[in-house]
Amino acid sequence: MNKCERMEKSGWLKERRRRGVECLRHSKCWRSELRLAGMSGFRAVEAETRGDRAAKQDKTTLEKMRLAQRREKFVKYEDFGPVTEATPGALGYLADVDRFHTDTAGEEKAARERAGHMRGEKYERKRNVNLEREDLRWNQMEQVRDDQQQKLMVMQNSTKGARNHSSVAYDCISLDYHPTPAGDQQKFEDDMAKYRAGVRTEKLFRYSSGDGYNPITGEELKPLRMPKRPDQV
C-alpha cells in the first residue's frame, strides 16, 4: 500500500476532494502539491470576493456551477456563453459605448435644438397658412369688385338702365349741365338759341327805330349790342 492509498483510506484525500482539491494518485503528485504549498506546508488559495460568496449562496448559480463541473459517465458540459447576446465579431454585435449615449449635455442640447426646429417649422406652417388665407381673401374681394363693375356696365348699356335717364342733359333741379359730351352739346344749343334771339332783337330794334329818335320823348335811341356767338363744340 503506497502513500496515496493510505491517505485515501484514512479519509484525508476524500476531504480534499470535497473541498475541490484535485486527486493525487502517486507520490510525484504529492510532492508537486507540497512544492506549490510552499515552505509553510499550506496551499495558497486565492481569496473569494464578496460577489463570489453571494453567488454560491444563490441556488440557481450553485446548480449551474455544479452542472458545469460534472464529469460523470458520458455527460460533458459545454458553456456556450450568453446565447441571447451577440459576441464580438458577430453581425448584430454593438459595444456598449456605441449603444448608449453618455453625453448628457449633448443630448440635452440636441433635444433643445430639435424642439426649436419643430417650433420653427410650426411657425413657418402657420405663417404660410395665414399668407394663403390673406391672398385668398384679397382675390375674393377683387373678384367681387370686378363682378360688380361688370354688372354695372351691363345695366348702364341695357334698356333697363335707360329707363331712369333724364331726356335732357342737365339737372332739372339745379339747372346745371351734366359734365358729359351730351351736357356740353345741350349748353351749346341753348347758347345758340340765346344768340339767335339777341340777333333778332337787334334787327327788330334797328328796323323799328326809324330815324334813330324816340317819337314820344324825343331822345336819341342807342343801338343794341350784338351778343357773342358761342363756340362750336
Side-chain angles (χ1 to χ4, degrees), residues 80-177:
F80 296 99
V83 295
T84 58
E85 298 180 5
T87 57
L91 184 60
Y93 175 76
L94 189 63
D96 293 342
V97 178
D98 299 329
R99 288 195 301 115
F100 299 103
H101 183 63
T102 57
D103 188 6
T104 307
E107 187 174 353
E108 291 292 335
K109 181 181 179 182
R112 290 195 302 271
E113 291 179 353
R114 184 166 57 254
H117 183 66
M118 294 176 62
R119 185 165 55 251
E121 289 183 351
K122 175 183 175 182
Y123 292 156
E124 187 66 22
R125 287 195 302 269
K126 187 175 182 180
R127 187 182 300 108
N128 294 333
V129 170
N130 292 336
L131 288 176
E132 293 178 359
R133 186 187 299 116
E134 190 69 13
D135 292 341
L136 180 61
R137 187 175 70 87
W138 278 101
N139 294 334
Q140 291 178 352
M141 292 173 60
E142 293 180 357
Q143 184 66 30
V144 170
R145 183 177 61 83
D146 295 340
D147 294 342
Q148 291 178 354
Q149 291 292 336
Q150 186 176 3
K151 182 178 179 181
L152 181 61
M153 292 179 60
V154 171
M155 292 180 64
Q156 288 177 352
N157 297 329
S158 63
T159 56
K160 183 177 180 180
R163 295 177 184 176
N164 296 328
H165 289 179
S166 176
S167 59
V168 292
Y170 59 89
D171 193 351
C172 298
I173 298 176
S174 62
L175 301 180
D176 294 334
Y177 295 98

Side-chain angles (χ1 to χ4, degrees), residues 24-84:
L24 303 178
R25 292 297 181 182
H26 44 80
S27 59
K28 186 176 181 180
C29 296
W30 172 246
R31 287 194 300 270
S32 62
E33 179 72 15
L34 292 178
R35 193 186 306 103
L36 291 174
M39 297 302 295
S40 61
F42 295 94
R43 183 171 180 268
V45 181
E46 185 179 358
E48 295 181 350
T49 62
R50 183 178 299 177
D52 295 339
R53 294 195 299 271
K56 286 184 179 180
Q57 296 177 1
D58 185 14
K59 181 179 179 181
T60 304
T61 307
L62 183 60
E63 290 179 354
K64 290 182 179 180
M65 183 179 64
R66 289 177 177 176
L67 288 174
Q69 294 176 356
R70 287 182 62 181
R71 293 295 184 271
E72 291 83 2
K73 297 182 181 180
F74 300 100
V75 179
K76 183 178 180 182
Y77 178 79
E78 295 182 5
D79 188 8
F80 296 99
V83 295
T84 58

